[in-house]
Amino acid sequence: MVSVKKVIGSEPRPRIVLGVTSDISLSLLAGFPTHLEASGWDVHVVCAPGASASMFVPSRFVTLHTIDMVRSPSLMRDVRSLLRWMSLLRDLKPDLLSVGTPKAGLLGVLAAWLLGQGRRIYMLRGLRMETEAGLRRLMLWCSEKVALLLASRVLAVSPSLRERVVQLNLAPSSKVDVLGLGSSNGVEFERFDSLDEEVVNSLRRDLNLGGATPIVGFVGRLVRDKGLVELLGAHRALLSRRVPHKLLIVGSIDDEPEVANLFDAQEADQIVVTGHVPDVAPYFALMDVFCLPTHREGFPNVVLEASSASIPTVTTDATGAVDSVLDKETGRIVKVGSTEQLSNALQELVMDRRLALEYGKNALEWVKVNYARKDVWARTEKYYRALIEQ
């Protein structure tokens, strides 16, 4: 590696290091490194090796580096990862470091602090500790506390996440920033305007979701933290009330076999589970109502995607999720863990098509004004540039 900064014309480009833990988390940065490159930065991206990393396409001013990192605590592996981080940052000498996701955030910020490198930004995308208890919660709290303490600034992806960080005594309010109304990477709402109608119709036939029966959709990892138990409970409540609907579950199981068992006994004509899909956009076109009964978030991008498809969302008042919906304007917000409130809100939108269409229209307009991906990128780049120019 070389520490010489790349130049364009006669001026050296400011150098930034962006870091996430898993190669899969590169999706959280989709398009942003290229935007920074076009804005005059020398961009270096760091993640763990994996299939997604191998598909990363570097360019003249965007470089990928892989460092072995694991999500769970592992003393020896974490020490090796820290030493790799220090070696990389010593060579690169970045003007600014912006790292997120717990392990990369901790290791990256700690390495930069040990090297005496300033402008250490912790991109806070959520708090895993919120749904943990006992010793594991304490360990996660301590990890976050150290990372936020050693960061020079903390950039939270939603207002409620900022509030929660302060409430948990992880960082003072003066140290935590939120840009606009939040979101880590915005949404390409235009992508949902250009769907091939034949592709959507073919998908509808393949999944046996034709006819007039309303479709309640879910997109995300199939884990308990996403509120799948409550979603299935609400589904059964609607069936008992003879509210016509079907569930469309889009996503893959994430190391929680007990979640898979939730679907085993369900009738195939009432619930459709797709597993992982390469592109979720056509699936939103099948839905009448989107549901994210999550227990915790940073800021849920799937709600922005549903809104881009003009679909109303029912979500919870969990951290992060509460910022993604305007209650009784773009959807409904219910209490975390309340199957009764969830079923009532879903029933309202399933039975009142006019209201659902109104909320969906409002949601699209709200997304266009506040969460367009290029606008989110521009705000973040401006924030970074202001820090290095101070």
Side-chain angles (χ1 to χ4, degrees):
M1 298 178 201
V2 294
S3 60
V4 177
K5 291 185 179 179
K6 298 177 182 178
V7 298
I8 181 169
S10 59
E11 294 294 324
R13 288 175 168 243
R15 176 170 289 170
I16 185 171
V17 172
L18 306 173
V20 292
T21 305
S22 168
D23 64 299
I24 297 174
S25 295
L26 287 173
S27 61
L28 299 172
L29 304 172
F32 186 50
T34 303
H35 173 82
L36 289 176
E37 176 186 35
S39 300
W41 294 75
D42 176 21
V43 186
H44 294 261
V45 180
V46 182
C47 70
S52 297
S54 65
M55 293 186 291
F56 186 92
V57 181
S59 58
R60 184 182 177 191
F61 296 109
V62 177
T63 307
L64 178 70
H65 308 268
T66 57
I67 294 177
D68 181 40
M69 291 178 281
V70 290
R71 292 178 64 187
S72 300
S74 175
L75 180 59
M76 293 305 298
R77 295 184 69 176
D78 289 346
V79 169
R80 286 196 295 267
S81 299
L82 176 62
L83 294 176
R84 287 287 310 280
W85 266 104
M86 293 182 67
S87 176
L88 177 65
L89 294 180
R90 187 183 295 113
D91 285 337
L92 292 178
K93 297 180 175 61
D95 297 288
L96 187 143
L97 171 77
S98 179
V99 285
T101 66
K103 185 60 70 71
L106 174 61
L107 296 176
V109 166
L110 177 57
W113 180 80
L114 290 171
L115 293 171
Q117 297 179 350
R119 304 188 187 93
R120 303 177 298 272
I121 311 303
Y122 188 3
M123 174 69 82
L124 188 62
R125 293 188 168 92
L127 293 169
R128 287 174 60 191
M129 59 171 287
E130 281 198 285
T131 52
E132 299 291 347
L135 181 59
R136 181 168 176 80
R137 180 183 176 91
L138 177 61
M139 291 175 60
L140 289 171
W141 184 92
C142 292
S143 175
E144 294 284 5
K145 181 69 174 181
V146 171
L148 272 63
L149 178 66
L150 299 183
S152 52
R153 300 298 303 173
V154 179
L155 186 55
V157 298
S158 67
S160 63
L161 182 57
R162 179 181 185 272
E163 294 173 8
R164 188 66 172 142
V165 164
V166 174
Q167 182 185 52
L168 291 171
N169 194 32
L170 288 168
S173 59
S174 59
K175 191 175 184 177
V176 188
D177 302 312
V178 178
L179 304 182
L181 296 183
S183 176
S184 64
N185 206 35
V187 65
E188 290 180 300
F189 58 83
E190 304 90 348
R191 185 162 65 100
F192 297 84
D193 287 336
S194 56
L195 293 174
D196 188 319
E197 187 174 344
E198 181 51 40
V199 170
V200 174
N201 289 336
S202 177
L203 189 60
R204 195 187 307 275
R205 290 191 297 269
D206 291 343
L207 298 176
N208 192 28
L209 294 176
T213 303
I215 306 300
V216 175
F218 169 91
V219 176
R221 294 181 300 117
L222 304 191
V223 295
R224 299 182 77 89
D225 282 358
K226 294 296 183 182
L228 290 171
V229 172
E230 292 86 348
L231 178 57
L232 289 174
H235 165 66
R236 297 188 186 103
L238 294 182
L239 290 178
S240 69
R241 301 173 198 168
R242 300 186 183 278
V243 177
H245 74 288
K246 289 185 178 182
L247 281 187
L248 172 60
I249 310 293
V250 181
S252 56
I253 298 169
D254 188 10
D255 298 327
E256 292 191 12
E258 66 273 18
V259 173
N261 296 333
L262 293 174
F263 303 104
D264 286 348
Q266 306 302 322
E267 297 181 4
D269 61 342
Q270 296 294 331
I271 301 179
V272 177
V273 182
T274 68
H276 172 74
V277 299
D279 181 15
V280 299
Y283 292 83
F284 281 107
L286 306 179
M287 302 174 190
D288 297 285
V289 180
F290 181 69
C291 185
L292 182 67
T294 183
H295 297 181
R296 66 171 179 89
E297 295 287 332
F299 189 103
N301 292 323
V302 286
V303 174
L304 297 185
E305 292 176 328
S307 299
S308 297
S310 299
I311 302 169
T313 293
V314 176
T315 191
T316 68
D317 58 359
T319 304
V322 71
D323 302 294
S324 66
V325 168
L326 297 176
D327 194 32
K328 298 183 179 180
E329 291 186 46
T330 67
R332 294 303 311 273
I333 297 176
V334 302
K335 185 175 179 59
V336 172
S338 175
T339 299
E340 181 180 3
Q341 288 189 21
L342 185 66
S343 62
N344 290 341
L346 289 173
Q347 180 173 340
E348 178 185 34
L349 292 176
V350 165
M351 299 297 289
D352 191 337
R353 181 60 179 162
R354 181 199 61 78
L355 184 63
L357 290 172
E358 178 185 338
Y359 285 179
K361 180 181 177 181
N362 293 342
L364 175 59
E365 293 305 312
W366 191 52
V367 162
K368 286 182 176 180
V369 171
N370 297 292
Y371 299 105
R373 178 160 289 178
K374 290 183 179 179
D375 293 341
V376 172
W377 287 345
R379 285 194 290 269
T380 308
E381 192 274 334
K382 182 179 179 180
Y383 175 80
Y384 287 161
R385 191 168 292 275
L387 289 174
I388 68 169
E389 291 176 353
Q390 286 178 356

